[in-house]
Amino acid sequence: MRMYDIILKKRNGEVLSKEEINHFIDGYTKGSVPDYQAAALLMAIYFQKMDKEETAYLTEAMMNSGEVIDLSNIEGIKVDKHSTGGVGDKTTIALGPIVAACGVPVAKFSGRGLGHTGGTIDKLESIPGFSVDMTKEEFVNNVNNVKLAVGGQTANLAPADKKLYALRDVTTTVDNISLIAGSIMSKKLASGADAIVLDVKTGSGAFMQDIDDSFELAKEMVDIGINMGRNTVAVVTDMDQPLGYTIGNSLEVKEAIELLQGKGPKDLEELCITLGSYMLLLAQQVSSVDEGRVKIKEAIYSGKALETLKRFIVNQGGDVAYIENVDLLPKAKEVYPLKVTEDGYIHKIKADIVGMSALILGAGRDTKDSVIDLSVGIVLNKKVGDYVKKGEVLAYIHSNNIDRRNNAIEKLKTAYDIEKTKPSTKPLVFGIVTEKEIKRL
Ligand code: URA
């Protein structure tokens, strides 16, 4: 079998066989297929697309390119949650403890931030001592004891995806439904959870900006999960503005803790309740989503989820004092208010631009090796739909460097659309995709 023929076949719009896809993934992982041939095939896939069967073969091949984790030593139905990536998305930090407090084991492997989107592990490392370095036994014991552990995506988890994702990033082939579905689901399936709840983001801060594409991606991923024997549900949610009010590592941890104290922002809370209720349903802890919603709220407002967060942080070496007193978390030297120059309603806060502004401040990585500044970021003071008067503060910029701050401000200003008329309200949740139906709300 020759890569040349596989590229030619896809370039001409033909369907690739399982053997051809395996040959590509196997060869690329081992290094016998060079980057330039992989890049050519990615571009051919980008334009000619893959059908459902090809996408399933691609996912399976990437899943099997490394270790497939066995979590059978953990009691109960393990449910994982995965977001396709967004700005200000600190959901895992709050939702993990909430669902664990409801008795569902959450064994999660999270990533670091890259580009304009943040990563859960970077955020959690704002808490001194916290680490995702655990042996497999420690990871399993932590889930059995606290019902929650967060591990890092080791080099051996779907290594084909790791290499391919980096290549897609530099060859403008990220936003293809089959390639995203294969990338995410190969990692989720290799991580060993029994059931998966997917948060498929749509809008300016998401990889899929178009709503119809987002539903198609959701359906593709649900079908892959179901066909691989994992009960999978996807919730399509808004990422047209940042989630919550904070963007930046320690600022996001603080907001997630506030949610667990019962004083979190409404959109983040609603997202946690929705995703959490489906996690409880898939874990067979409740018999309906409505029952799930009640249980999730109870876990938040009783303080049980906050207690679970503390135990989880301590178990992974973190200093609990930083949860008990969020003012101890890393703080930037300077907080600068960005003021509005005209009266009007906020129509847009483009999430990708806010994410890029936070990146300029140092909250994210330009390259994989950049060192991030955990203390910097942006705190929104207003959100879409709010009326603002000239001179009011739109957002606070937390920075440690004047040049970076000035550059971030110039960028951040372009995120806003302010108009005289009131904008129509948009839902946070656009729909639910299950094995049986695509329900648009
Ligand atoms: N997240 C992933 O892990 N892969 C993608 O392709 C897109 C988002």
Side-chain angles (χ1 to χ4, degrees):
M1 205 174 283
R2 293 194 317 153
M3 260 315 278
Y4 180 93
D5 298 320
I6 297 173
I7 298 166
L8 180 66
K9 204 169 163 188
K10 189 40 86 185
R11 190 202 73 179
N12 291 343
E14 291 174 50
V15 174
L16 299 180
S17 68
K18 184 172 184 172
E19 291 67 36
E20 286 163 336
I21 291 171
N22 284 345
H23 177 82
F24 161 52
I25 293 298
D26 197 42
Y28 190 56
T29 310
K30 291 185 180 136
S32 56
V33 171
D35 274 346
Y36 56 84
Q37 283 190 315
L41 183 60
L42 287 176
M43 195 54 88
I45 292 170
Y46 187 88
F47 282 114
Q48 297 290 4
K49 304 199 169 31
M50 281 180 141
D51 68 16
K52 268 188 177 296
E53 218 163 20
E54 290 175 289
T55 309
Y57 295 146
L58 177 75
T59 309
E60 215 177 325
M62 291 205 290
M63 173 184 95
N64 289 325
S65 65
E67 186 188 6
V68 176
I69 294 169
D70 177 9
L71 296 179
S72 57
N73 284 342
I74 298 172
E75 303 132 24
I77 300 175
K78 279 80 64 188
V79 186
D80 201 352
K81 185 278 304 180
H82 186 86
S83 152
T84 56
V87 176
D89 188 0
K90 66 280 293 174
T91 311
T92 296
I93 301 167
L95 188 57
I98 294 170
V99 172
C102 294
V104 174
V106 181
K108 184 135 188 57
F109 293 90
S110 288
R112 295 187 182 274
L114 188 66
H116 72 275
T117 65
T120 298
I121 296 179
D122 294 329
K123 293 172 196 180
L124 284 170
E125 282 177 353
S126 305
I127 301 161
F130 180 87
S131 163
V132 291
D133 289 333
M134 285 168 279
T135 63
K136 217 187 266 173
E137 288 70 34
E138 284 167 336
F139 183 83
V140 168
N141 285 342
N142 284 350
V143 184
N144 279 333
N145 294 337
V146 187
K147 297 270 179 260
L148 172 63
V150 174
Q153 254 152 16
T154 61
N156 206 22
L157 194 91
D161 173 63
K162 215 177 176 129
K163 269 185 98 174
L164 270 183
Y165 191 83
L167 190 62
R168 285 166 59 211
D169 210 19
V170 292
T171 55
T172 70
T173 49
V174 171
D175 55 332
N176 169 275
I177 288 175
S178 295
L179 296 176
I180 296 180
S183 163
I184 290 176
M185 292 308 287
S186 62
K187 284 177 288 207
K188 290 294 104 182
L189 295 167
S191 310
D194 302 309
I196 303 160
V197 174
L198 299 162
D199 179 8
V200 178
K201 302 285 190 196
T202 190
S204 60
F207 289 109
M208 281 290 133
Q209 306 211 338
D210 176 81
I211 184 85
D212 293 332
D213 288 347
S214 304
F215 272 97
E216 205 182 319
L217 172 64
K219 180 75 180 119
E220 192 84 42
M221 291 199 287
V222 168
D223 287 348
I224 292 171
I226 300 284
N227 287 334
M228 295 293 289
R230 317 292 166 94
N231 205 352
T232 308
V233 168
V235 184
V236 178
T237 71
D238 183 51
M239 188 31 75
D240 226 15
Q241 65 173 330
L243 187 63
Y245 285 83
T246 62
I247 303 96
N249 299 283
S250 64
L251 295 167
E252 292 191 39
V253 169
K254 185 165 175 260
E255 194 170 49
I257 294 169
E258 283 164 0
L259 182 114
L260 299 182
Q261 293 168 335
K263 39 186 198 187
K266 285 294 148 218
D267 57 351
L268 180 63
E269 183 178 294
E270 176 52 33
L271 187 66
C272 286
I273 293 171
T274 304
L275 295 172
S277 58
Y278 278 98
M279 289 174 82
L280 298 192
L281 190 67
L282 296 196
Q284 297 172 12
Q285 289 275 321
V286 293
S287 51
S288 72
V289 174
D290 286 342
E291 195 189 330
R293 291 181 69 88
V294 173
K295 263 194 114 159
I296 295 286
K297 282 187 207 164
E298 207 261 330
I300 298 173
Y301 286 94
S302 65
K304 278 191 216 150
L306 185 60
E307 282 313 306
T308 305
L309 174 75
K310 288 183 195 169
R311 291 179 61 208
F312 149 66
I313 293 296
V314 170
N315 251 353
Q316 295 196 210
D319 186 344
V320 76
Y322 287 73
I323 310 289
E324 284 163 351
N325 179 6
V326 289
D327 287 334
L328 295 175
L329 286 164
K331 271 203 198 89
K333 281 192 226 136
E334 181 211 61
V335 180
Y336 182 91
L338 172 66
K339 294 189 178 161
V340 65
T341 51
E342 55 186 328
D343 295 0
Y345 288 97
I346 301 181
H347 276 237
K348 279 196 175 138
I349 308 176
K350 295 174 202 122
D352 50 345
I353 295 182
V354 180
M356 289 304 296
S357 310
L359 188 83
I360 292 169
L361 290 168
R365 292 182 183 79
D366 287 319
T367 69
K368 271 194 277 188
D369 302 321
S370 312
V371 176
I372 60 172
D373 184 340
L374 295 165
S375 66
V376 299
I378 294 160
V379 179
L380 304 178
N381 194 41
K382 303 279 176 186
K383 295 208 59 175
V384 169
D386 286 345
Y387 186 77
V388 283
K389 282 202 155 108
K390 188 175 169 186
E392 270 193 274
V393 176
L394 280 176
Y396 293 96
I397 324 285
H398 292 236
S399 78
N400 284 325
N401 175 301
I402 290 179
D403 289 338
R404 281 178 179 262
R405 184 251 274 163
N406 289 341
N407 291 338
I409 288 171
E410 284 317 304
K411 186 89 192 165
L412 187 60
K413 281 180 186 164
T414 67
Y416 288 88
D417 242 357
I418 297 177
E419 293 175 28
K420 295 287 171 219
T421 54
K422 206 173 166 67
S424 53
T425 50
K426 268 204 324 186
L428 174 72
V429 177
F430 289 99
I432 314 287
V433 177
T434 61
E435 180 183 3
K436 296 202 180 79
E437 65 172 344
I438 299 174
K439 193 159 105 194
R440 293 211 185 199
L441 301 173

